[in-house]
């Protein structure tokens, strides 16, 4: 009962476009989709299948959760790449500033001026 209630709450919190559009397009052919739907509508006979029937309502939640985790990983990779680029640009800027500054130390070393 708690699981079904949680699934109902999750459904209420979905945005309107998420309710209308399918979460992931199916890669199954039309006949395969009908077969899959028929199997889902049948009453399961095995104890494990009967227990899993209680969790069918959470399928959309787990799809959204997994999508969010994938997006989080992609953003983390992008952040790391941007951090490396930032470090490289800072080093180039530092070299440029050293090259244009005039000091005894700078005059004693080779520089772009």
């Amino acid at each position: 009962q708690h699981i079904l209630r949680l699934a109902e709450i999750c459904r209420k919190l979905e945005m309107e476009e998420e309710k209308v559009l399918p979460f992931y397009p199916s890669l199954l052919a039309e006949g395969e989709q009908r077969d899959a739907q028929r199997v889902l509508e049948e009453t399961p006979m095995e104890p494990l299948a009967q227990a899993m029937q209680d969790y069918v309502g959470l399928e959309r939640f787990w799809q959204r959760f997994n999508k969010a985790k994938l997006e989080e990983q992609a953003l983390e990779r992008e952040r790391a790449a941007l951090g490396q680029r930032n470090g490289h640009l800072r080093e180039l800027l530092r070299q440029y500033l050293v090259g244009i500054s005039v000091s005894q130390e700078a005059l004693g070393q080779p520089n772009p001026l």
Side-chain angles (χ1 to χ4, degrees):
Q1 289 294 344
H2 295 316
I3 293 169
L4 293 176
R5 180 71 180 133
L6 179 60
E8 289 173 18
I9 292 171
C10 290
R11 180 74 175 155
K12 287 178 185 176
L13 295 176
E14 289 178 349
M15 291 185 286
E16 197 60 38
E17 66 184 30
E18 293 169 335
K19 292 179 183 178
V20 175
L21 299 174
F23 190 77
Y24 292 111
S26 177
L27 300 176
L28 298 175
E30 188 175 327
E32 292 172 324
Q33 286 181 355
R34 281 194 307 267
D35 292 343
Q37 186 62 35
R38 190 187 75 247
V39 168
L40 286 174
E41 290 171 357
E42 291 176 359
T43 304
M45 297 300 167
E46 298 84 16
L48 179 59
Q50 290 173 349
M52 288 184 61
Q53 197 71 14
D54 295 338
Y55 295 92
V56 169
L58 290 177
E59 182 179 348
R60 289 180 60 83
F61 165 77
W62 286 113
Q63 286 176 340
R64 290 182 52 83
F65 177 82
N66 289 334
K67 183 175 185 276
K69 286 304 246 182
L70 287 173
E71 288 176 359
E72 178 185 22
Q73 289 177 355
L75 289 172
E76 182 58 36
R77 286 191 192 114
E78 184 178 355
R79 186 188 69 75
L82 289 173
Q84 287 181 339
R85 176 120 172 101
N86 186 27
H88 177 70
L89 290 173
R90 284 178 181 268
E91 177 58 24
L92 290 176
L93 180 59
R94 188 194 65 74
Q95 290 174 8
Y96 173 75
L97 291 174
V98 165
I100 64 168
S101 62
V102 179
S103 67
Q104 288 294 56
E105 184 180 326
L107 291 175
Q109 298 176 359
N111 62 54
L113 294 176

